[in-house]
Amino acid sequence: MCGIIGYAGKAGAEKFLLQGLKKLEYRGYDSAGIAVLDEDEMQVVKCQGTLDELENRLRQKSLRGYLGIGHTRWATHGVPSDDNSHPHQDCQGRFALVHNGIIENYQSLKAELQAAGHSFCSETDTEVLVHLLEEVHQGDMIAALRELQEKLAGSYALAVVDNREPEKIYALRQASPLVIGLGEQENYLASDMPALLNATRKFHILEDGELAVLKEDEISIFSAAGEEIEADIFQADWDAEMVKKQGYEHFMLKEIYEQPTVVRRLLAAYLDRDQVKLPEVAEIWGDEIDRVLITACGTAYYSGLVGRHILEELANLPVEVEISSELRYKKNFLDENSLTLVMSQSGETADTLAALKLARSRGSRVLALTNTIGSSIAREADAVVDLKAGPEIAVASTKAYSAMLTALYLTGLKLGELRATLPERELLTYRRELLKLPEKITAALNRVEDSCREAADYLKNHSSMFFIGRNLDYSLALEGALKLKEISYLHAEAYPAGELKHGTLALVEEGVPVIAIFTRRGLVSKTLSNVKEVKARGGRVIAIATAGTIEDKEEFDQFIELPACNELWAGVLTVLPLQLLAYHTAHNLNCSIDKPRNLAKSVTVE
Ligand code: AGP
């Protein structure tokens, strides 16, 4: 997703902007650029490619000045190219503007502007914004931006500088995230907090419709209604250290190994031997609630599939799980008797945010389980459970997924308590076993790392493979397949083990890898039959199983064993080899593990 950075201060803007853009690289991009004002001289350098390419250009033409904006572009409209990269400028070269989001009515606006004589040099929707600004600006930037807003449909976080006001950065937010950072004699702007943690931990998170004016020594915030308001300063409990690799080769590996700490932090915050401390769940619960909907995208959606089993088994509640981008276009039965759980690491996924708003519009109460307090989803929900995973930088989500599972385990237990569906003795056993998870995760990581390297050596030579399981294990297989696909670019498909023989088994031939997951004792014999069907066709089967579920290991070409664990809680262990298989396979193939092609960390467009 695009990244925006801005600086107003006494130090050189170019250096700060480049550092900030490096911190935004993880969002995914294909071109970059900056604009710096030196008095009334507008200096713009931008290009397709990585920040290294931009730095090469800047070595030929260093930019002087103490105020500027920067951008990393993740192409939506128009191919990656120098002309399509941001910042974009008006016909006179007076303004420079950067944007994250999608302007849905840009074609009609562009036609009107071209008819009015504006000449365009890119295919982007963003360039329409700066020419429209040029068209409506009558001397007051705030009034001009408000008039611009009236004409726009879609989502935007934008920043703009004007060579006639070289001491100001203007910023506007509508449905795409934008934060203001407050410094000493300098102020900052960025798409997200991790980009600024080296400079500050004090933030104002812009709300939809809010407009900000940044100068080196002051910021002004204007509400959607137009009145000037006090900045609502938020002190981030993340620090700069948390967004560094700390000796790991990739953020993804660091975040895989952070999972024991993340789960321990969550349990310490929300659980002790005697009770689940989730007042957010208690406050949102009502006895009239008779069904739950979980909605999310990608890995967060797959955590919701696990959550369904947990909530149905612990709270005896019917649970539906819907992909957010699908929920909006299907008949749904949401009403005031529904509880909607929204899962999102970033809290900014556009499809998930739209699904949340739909659920609320139908009268459903909404509980957000998110890793980003202050995000759009956190602010729109009725109640929020903080996943406390710390900043997750790698595009492939790992520790946030484990945090989601843990938060769902706790939510299931809490709902079980509230609905008195479980005897206290059983609840106590469940709580005790949850408290053991951090140690089990550490043990599992130590136990499986080498086996996963060995398996990855095999997988790297195959362009397609299958992940199979039944019930909870199928939900986990889906996450395993996604992890492998998104960072190794090999095709993988998750399949309910019992379903293979209904067609897909036709694809299994000599050597095809099949990863089979076993954590539910009652389903082992059935899944073993499916494994035998695969073996009979020459498939190569790698088992991932919790200790004690499988006696006869002869059937498998490789056996990856995890510590014994309560079947309901096994997901946070099973996902570890799935993550490591993906990581080592991608590493073998020299893929861009933290920043896989075509993908973004937070998908803030629909
Ligand atoms: C998962 O590895 C991907 N990065 C992606 O599927 C992600 O889970 C999805 O885009 C949802 O993101 P969110 O949790 O920030 O809403």
Side-chain angles (χ1 to χ4, degrees):
M1 214 43 33
C2 298
I4 290 173
I5 195 83
Y7 175 80
K10 297 188 182 310
E14 176 186 316
K15 183 165 183 267
F16 184 93
L17 295 174
L18 279 174
Q19 285 173 347
L21 290 178
K22 283 189 185 336
K23 298 288 184 201
L24 290 168
E25 281 190 291
Y26 79 96
R27 296 167 62 90
Y29 73 108
D30 45 56
S31 44
I34 64 173
V36 175
L37 274 165
D38 181 16
E39 299 297 327
D40 62 351
E41 187 196 349
M42 181 74 76
Q43 308 161 99
V44 175
V45 176
K46 61 180 192 173
C47 60
Q48 176 188 354
T50 65
L51 290 176
D52 291 343
E53 177 56 32
L54 181 64
E55 285 189 284
N56 287 339
R57 305 269 182 116
L58 287 165
R59 270 194 273 279
Q60 294 151 34
K61 177 191 176 188
S62 182
L63 306 185
R64 300 173 314 286
Y66 307 110
L67 179 138
I69 54 178
H71 187 266
T72 47
R73 179 177 183 245
W74 185 76
T76 53
H77 297 74
V79 297
S81 68
D82 288 2
D83 287 342
N84 287 340
S85 49
H86 304 201
H88 287 285
Q89 292 193 268
D90 59 306
C91 301
Q92 312 306 320
R94 170 180 172 185
F95 305 116
L97 181 146
V98 294
H99 161 237
N100 176 22
I102 287 185
I103 305 303
E104 290 168 0
N105 60 333
Y106 83 98
Q107 282 111 332
S108 56
L109 291 171
K110 185 168 182 174
E112 287 167 25
L113 290 161
Q114 285 171 318
H118 291 263
S119 54
F120 286 76
C121 59
S122 85
E123 310 154 283
T124 67
D125 55 340
T126 301
E127 192 183 1
V128 167
L129 295 174
V130 70
H131 288 287
L132 189 54
L133 179 63
E134 179 182 22
E135 190 67 20
V136 304
H137 196 293
Q138 306 290 327
D140 176 338
M141 178 66 90
I142 291 177
L145 288 172
R146 290 304 187 191
E147 190 172 343
L148 194 86
Q149 242 181 314
E150 294 298 312
K151 298 175 184 295
L152 299 181
S155 61
Y156 44 89
L158 65 86
V160 60
V161 290
D162 174 358
N163 66 9
R164 295 186 196 172
E165 295 186 273
E167 77 289 355
K168 291 179 182 177
I169 298 173
Y170 291 86
L172 184 58
R173 182 244 155 98
Q174 185 63 42
S176 282
L178 209 49
V179 300
I180 308 286
L182 290 88
E184 300 301 322
Q185 290 305 304
E186 55 185 31
N187 290 303
Y188 326 99
L189 177 72
S191 296
D192 61 28
M193 290 185 285
L196 299 176
L197 287 174
N198 271 329
T200 184
R201 290 169 63 181
K202 292 198 297 184
F203 297 96
H204 170 85
I205 296 165
L206 285 179
E207 301 265 358
D208 276 354
E210 281 188 358
L211 190 155
V213 184
L214 279 77
K215 294 168 66 175
E216 70 176 41
D217 55 359
E218 70 171 318
I219 60 164
S220 310
I221 311 283
F222 299 86
S223 71
E227 74 265 7
E228 185 159 1
I229 56 175
E230 278 297 303
D232 176 9
I233 306 300
F234 164 79
Q235 177 82 18
D237 60 5
W238 293 351
D239 60 39
E241 199 48 36
M242 295 169 98
V243 291
K244 290 182 183 150
K245 287 183 192 169
Q246 290 157 358
Y248 287 92
E249 186 179 355
H250 296 99
F251 278 111
M252 183 180 177
L253 193 59
K254 173 196 165 201
E255 288 154 6
I256 287 171
Y257 277 88
E258 274 185 286
Q259 291 176 111
T261 305
V262 168
V263 173
R264 185 174 294 111
R265 189 184 301 138
L266 270 171
L267 296 174
Y270 302 133
L271 177 67
D272 61 29
R273 272 173 48 82
D274 307 323
Q275 62 167 336
V276 175
K277 300 175 289 186
L278 272 178
E280 301 83 357
V281 176
E283 84 191 24
I284 204 165
W285 179 256
D287 290 341
E288 71 284 0
I289 292 173
D290 57 14
R291 60 189 178 286
V292 173
L293 170 76
I294 302 176
T295 188
C297 299
T299 284
Y301 166 69
Y302 294 142
S303 80
L305 291 176
V306 174
R308 170 175 53 193
H309 293 285
I310 305 302
L311 269 63
E312 288 184 341
E313 293 194 28
L314 293 181
N316 195 32
L317 263 175
V319 179
E320 272 187 272
V321 190
E322 287 287 357
I323 293 170
S324 297
S325 56
E326 288 294 302
L327 176 69
R328 304 168 63 197
Y329 308 107
K330 69 183 283 286
K331 181 167 180 54
N332 68 70
F333 300 90
L334 289 164
D335 60 20
E336 59 286 346
N337 296 333
S338 316
L339 171 61
T340 299
L341 301 188
V342 172
M343 317 294 298
S344 178
Q345 188 287 129
S346 65
E348 296 297 350
T349 300
D351 288 321
T352 308
L353 180 60
L356 184 160
K357 291 177 177 174
L358 169 70
R360 293 204 68 190
S361 71
R362 304 294 294 267
S364 171
R365 272 166 268 189
V366 176
L367 175 68
L369 288 75
T370 180
N371 195 37
T372 313
I373 297 305
S375 62
S376 306
I377 283 172
R379 290 211 295 268
E380 288 283 341
D382 296 303
V384 182
V385 174
D386 181 356
L387 295 175
K388 298 180 182 289
E392 185 177 70
I393 304 301
V395 166
S397 185
T398 51
K399 63 177 183 174
Y401 175 82
S402 299
M404 288 175 189
L405 292 194
T406 307
L408 286 163
Y409 297 162
L410 293 162
T411 302
L413 279 177
K414 189 66 188 173
L415 291 178
E417 280 173 31
L418 292 168
R419 290 168 50 82
T421 49
L422 295 169
E424 179 47 36
R425 176 181 33 76
E426 212 173 311
L427 282 168
L428 182 61
T429 304
Y430 275 126
R431 290 195 295 263
R432 274 205 194 113
E433 288 173 343
L434 262 186
L435 289 167
K436 294 175 194 163
L437 279 183
E439 283 64 39
K440 287 181 183 281
I441 295 171
T442 302
L445 285 168
N446 296 331
R447 188 185 289 190
V448 306
E449 171 82 47
D450 291 342
S451 310
C452 292
R453 284 176 195 275
E454 179 191 337
D457 257 350
Y458 184 81
L459 299 183
K460 73 173 188 283
N461 301 315
H462 291 267
S463 57
S464 182
M465 60 200 77
F466 296 96
F467 290 74
I468 66 171
R470 288 173 181 254
N471 188 270
L472 257 172
D473 294 340
Y474 169 54
S475 304
L476 289 155
L478 286 160
E479 173 57 13
L482 176 63
K483 283 284 103 42
L484 191 106
K485 280 183 283 188
E486 69 177 321
I487 63 171
S488 72
Y489 313 153
L490 299 178
H491 183 257
E493 188 172 5
Y495 234 82
E499 194 58 12
L500 265 183
K501 53 189 175 295
H502 297 287
T504 301
L505 193 62
L507 296 180
V508 176
E509 55 188 344
E510 190 59 34
V512 168
V514 174
I515 293 90
I517 301 173
F518 298 86
T519 64
R520 308 217 79 170
R521 277 180 195 73
L523 300 172
V524 165
S525 60
K526 292 282 192 312
T527 306
L528 265 180
S529 310
N530 306 132
V531 165
K532 291 180 192 315
E533 290 153 10
V534 168
K535 291 294 294 175
R537 277 84 185 171
R540 182 180 174 89
V541 181
I542 299 165
I544 295 175
T546 41
T549 44
I550 303 266
E551 268 78 46
D552 170 13
K553 298 173 185 170
E554 292 313 305
E555 201 55 53
F556 305 105
D557 299 283
Q558 190 180 352
F559 195 87
I560 299 176
E561 186 170 83
L562 294 160
C565 179
N566 176 298
E567 291 185 358
L568 281 187
W569 305 155
V572 287
L573 301 186
T574 314
V575 75
L576 302 169
L578 297 173
Q579 294 165 348
L580 288 169
L581 279 178
Y583 176 81
H584 288 299
T585 303
H587 198 280
N588 288 339
L589 297 170
N590 299 313
C591 293
S592 168
I593 289 171
D594 285 336
K595 300 189 292 267
R597 68 187 181 198
N598 308 341
L599 301 182
K601 181 59 183 171
S602 170
V603 184
T604 56
V605 294
E606 294 179 32

